[in-house]
Amino acid sequence: HQDQGGLCAYCEIDIRENDSLKSRIEHFHPKSDKSSGVNWALDWGNMLAVCAGGSDRYGAAPHSMEPLSENLSCDAHKDRWIQQRKLPADCEGWVLNPLHIPIWPSLFEIDKFSGELRASEATCAAAAPWPNNQHPDVASLVARTIASLNLNCHRLCQARLTVIRDIEHNKKKQRLAGVSPQQGLANLAQRYLLRHWPAFFTTICLCLGSAADDHLQQIQYRG
């Protein structure tokens, strides 16, 4: 939790409370794999703190929302796809490993009207080939990751929209105060990215654009 700034490795929802009903440990590579001699169950780089994926029926939004089956996400949805044989258990190259996703330039873009994440065609096209990519290109890998983790379920889109609307409201306040667009975005980047780290970190960065990138570079962000 500390290494990840209190965020789910997949959807970036806040799990810093370390509540067992809201978070758990995900092994990205199957811990049952004994073929390489690596103890995948205890390998630190194979352990990800993730949310419960909307599977707790008694959790409050945005951690849970009915209907549960449609609002499962992250490892809960990924595991269901593995069981349904829509995704191999060893999903490296089929799904992005969150430890290897660059913060900038982002492989994602966001629809500010729906809260949906999408592959950034321009950034993906310019990106270096992804190691062991099982898809035709990086954009397809990003799109498949979003689908495999169900990151655009209604529950998560609504949570992102709350963040987006708050940022847009504060952009307007900066404009009405007579602050220049560049300075206004810089002010908001400092405000929103002050905490280590705010929920839906990527959404915030996408909404603030280069101002977020500049701020993170100034504070020597390393991910």
Side-chain angles (χ1 to χ4, degrees):
H1 281 72
Q2 183 176 356
D3 284 357
Q4 293 175 201
L7 303 183
C8 171
Y10 291 135
C11 71
E12 298 183 339
I13 205 168
D14 190 337
I15 55 172
R16 70 187 74 243
E17 294 176 3
N18 199 13
D19 185 337
S20 61
L21 294 178
K22 295 180 180 178
S23 64
R24 54 195 176 206
I25 299 299
E26 148 87 333
H27 292 83
F28 189 80
H29 187 93
K31 59 184 178 182
S32 59
D33 181 12
K34 309 296 183 184
S35 62
S36 62
V38 176
N39 188 338
W40 293 107
L42 297 179
D43 185 86
W44 187 255
N46 195 43
M47 295 182 186
L48 301 174
V50 297
C51 69
S55 61
D56 175 21
R57 183 173 299 277
Y58 303 102
H63 287 275
S64 182
M65 181 182 290
E66 293 287 356
L68 289 184
S69 60
E70 295 178 15
N71 281 293
L72 289 178
S73 71
C74 306
D75 75 312
H77 190 269
K78 178 168 74 73
D79 287 349
R80 183 166 68 174
W81 269 31
I82 290 173
Q83 293 168 12
Q84 294 174 347
R85 301 186 183 278
K86 295 180 179 179
L87 190 69
D90 183 0
C91 59
E92 191 82 52
W94 294 95
V95 174
L96 290 169
N97 186 325
L99 294 178
H100 304 152
I101 299 175
I103 185 59
W104 63 76
S106 179
L107 299 176
F108 300 88
E109 61 184 26
I110 194 160
D111 186 324
K112 293 182 180 179
F113 296 98
S114 68
E116 292 184 349
L117 287 172
R118 298 171 183 162
S120 170
E121 296 290 343
T123 303
C124 290
W130 193 271
N132 196 34
N133 189 356
Q134 300 297 314
H135 301 282
D137 48 44
V138 176
S140 299
L141 172 60
V142 174
R144 187 64 171 176
T145 298
I146 293 170
S148 299
L149 302 175
N150 203 22
L151 296 180
N152 283 336
C153 66
H154 182 68
R155 173 176 60 85
L156 291 177
C157 284
Q158 289 303 301
R160 288 191 209 101
L161 280 174
T162 298
V163 175
I164 292 168
R165 288 164 181 164
D166 186 68
I167 292 175
E168 294 303 312
H169 172 72
N170 282 300
K171 283 181 181 178
K172 183 177 180 179
K173 287 179 67 175
Q174 291 283 310
R175 291 195 300 270
L176 293 176
V179 180
S180 69
Q182 183 177 4
Q183 185 59 52
L185 289 173
N187 292 343
L188 294 180
Q190 184 174 12
R191 179 192 306 178
Y192 280 97
L193 300 174
L194 177 64
R195 186 181 186 187
H196 183 273
W197 290 110
F200 301 106
F201 178 85
T202 296
T203 296
I204 293 171
C205 291
L206 290 173
C207 288
L208 297 177
S210 60
D213 294 349
D214 292 343
H215 176 73
L216 292 174
Q217 291 184 54
Q218 287 173 13
I219 64 174
Q220 299 182 331
Y221 173 79
R222 292 291 181 268

